[in-house]
Amino acid sequence: MPELPEVETVRAGLSRLIIGKNIISVDFDTPKSFPNTQTDIDAFLLNTHFISARRRGKVLMLDLSSGYSLMIHLKMTGQLVYRGEESFGAGHPNDSLIGELPDKSTRVTLKFAQGGVLFFNDQRKFGWARLLPTAIISKEPFMMKLGPEPLEDSFTYDRFISQLKRRQNTTIKAALLDQTVLAGIGNIYADESLFAAKIHPQSIVKCVPQAKLRLLHSAIKEILLFSIEKGGSTDRNYVNAEGKRGSYIDFAKVFRKENMPCPVCQHEIIKLRVAGRGTHVCKYCQKLYKEKIK
Ligand SMILES: [Zn+2]
């Protein structure tokens, strides 16, 4: 699933390519992916232009000159691809990022008067693109519940600790995945941050020593920033606007490295199920905390 760095990569690429371009047509194949009325489409999308591209957690908001925004959640397999004076695509990594479009995964197609086409592709159709008044987006229940942005300065260590208090009795991995605790972290960055902080993902939040939580807090920021710099996590097909492959996965220490040697101690990395998700761990480097420290 695209996580904060991938959505941030989409945001940065699109803000360079689509701002100021007039939308002259929209096609969509299923209302599930594009749940908007024809009246709203005519009034607030067609013949308007994008004025900014924002991100909150894993949600992308493309603001329109009409006072509405296209709010997009990529969910499991969503991606956005721009084709025009240059090609850009980010989000879920698969062949549609570089292949001929539209294809069978294309759900929404926006065409611009200046040339250029924006494709919202989503194989599994869990994602969506909704038109909403820009002013009410931050008041949507789903948005209200989102936790702090990990890369903002206001996300201090103290703030992290107070957010974790909401999930004292769960595993640390479940707490990191909880979007109300922290916005934007998914499976990849939870595993990588916990490895960096040497905390076993099955550790219970209230049992993890403060010094380790301090390490985790800074690891989260460092790893997300590093990944954004690399263009988000990817597989072989992901190519960004500069023709560079996003390469975070190549730099991952444990994610999808099961049966391979730990880069620190050389013991084998194992895969467990934690918080319902495949979880990558070095049992030797990552300490399990299940007893409250007195
Ligand atoms: Zn190790």
Side-chain angles (χ1 to χ4, degrees):
M1 182 194 277
E3 303 178 27
L4 187 155
E6 291 74 45
V7 180
E8 182 58 27
T9 302
V10 172
R11 189 203 63 75
L14 292 187
S15 75
R16 205 163 47 76
L17 290 164
I18 65 170
I19 304 303
K21 289 185 179 156
N22 294 78
I23 301 156
I24 47 169
S25 75
V26 56
D27 285 303
F28 59 96
D29 74 339
T30 157
K32 187 169 181 261
S33 304
F34 197 69
N36 305 298
T37 65
Q38 192 60 48
T39 316
D40 281 357
I41 294 168
D42 292 341
F44 305 114
L45 181 66
L46 292 176
N47 305 308
T48 72
H49 60 270
F50 289 114
I51 56 171
S52 57
R54 296 178 294 136
R55 180 192 58 76
R56 176 81 172 95
K58 302 177 192 173
V59 179
L60 187 69
M61 289 153 285
L62 304 177
D63 302 323
L64 292 153
S65 54
S66 59
Y68 270 57
S69 300
L70 205 51
M71 183 177 170
I72 302 175
H73 202 308
L74 300 174
K75 295 280 182 170
M76 298 297 286
T77 60
Q79 60 180 212
L80 285 158
V81 180
Y82 178 85
R83 294 285 165 78
E85 63 280 23
E86 61 178 88
S87 286
F88 167 82
H92 180 67
N94 69 10
D95 288 340
S96 301
L97 285 181
I98 50 170
E100 187 149 328
L101 293 175
D103 67 10
K104 61 184 187 345
S105 75
T106 301
R107 303 297 160 223
V108 187
T109 304
L110 292 180
K111 288 195 176 134
F112 299 104
Q114 292 85 344
V117 186
L118 180 65
F119 299 95
F120 170 39
N121 300 327
D122 185 15
Q123 269 171 345
R124 295 182 63 184
K125 301 189 197 176
F126 290 119
W128 40 258
R130 282 170 68 197
L131 268 174
L132 287 167
T134 306
I136 71 158
I137 284 183
S138 60
K139 297 176 189 84
E140 282 279 289
F142 164 76
M143 297 294 272
M144 298 273 287
K145 282 191 225 142
L146 282 179
E149 283 291 324
L151 292 178
E152 282 183 3
D153 291 343
S154 58
F155 180 62
T156 58
Y157 173 68
D158 290 343
R159 183 83 205 275
F160 182 44
I161 296 304
S162 76
Q163 289 298 107
L164 284 176
K165 289 218 160 77
R166 308 153 72 102
R167 301 293 304 265
Q168 284 289 350
N169 299 310
T170 60
T171 63
I172 187 79
K173 170 129 184 193
L176 291 185
L177 293 177
D178 183 341
Q179 299 298 297
T180 70
V181 170
L182 204 55
I185 308 277
N187 214 27
I188 302 170
Y189 301 101
D191 283 7
E192 289 296 313
S193 306
L194 288 166
F195 176 76
K198 301 187 187 312
I199 303 169
H200 193 294
Q202 275 169 331
S203 299
I204 302 301
V205 172
K206 66 181 177 198
C207 304
V208 181
Q210 280 215 11
K212 286 297 187 78
L213 292 177
R214 225 174 243 289
L215 280 176
L216 180 59
H217 173 255
S218 46
I220 288 168
K221 289 189 182 244
E222 279 162 27
I223 288 169
L224 291 175
L225 279 173
F226 179 74
S227 182
I228 290 169
E229 202 180 292
K230 297 289 172 196
S233 75
T234 71
D235 285 326
R236 66 200 159 81
N237 294 310
Y238 173 88
V239 177
N240 70 16
E242 283 78 41
K244 286 192 296 201
R245 282 182 182 171
S247 51
Y248 184 70
I249 283 293
D250 297 339
F251 291 87
K253 303 276 200 300
V254 289
F255 189 76
R256 292 200 188 140
K257 304 278 183 191
E258 62 267 31
N259 308 319
M260 289 165 73
C262 165
V264 174
C265 73
Q266 313 303 318
H267 284 92
E268 195 172 277
I269 292 161
I270 54 163
K271 192 171 174 183
L272 303 171
R273 213 158 172 82
V274 184
R277 306 291 301 274
T279 298
H280 308 82
V281 188
C282 173
K283 283 195 300 185
Y284 295 88
C285 290
Q286 293 174 265
K287 196 166 173 211
L288 182 59
Y289 300 99
K290 291 203 134 176
E291 306 280 339
K292 181 86 181 147
I293 298 154
K294 302 211 173 70

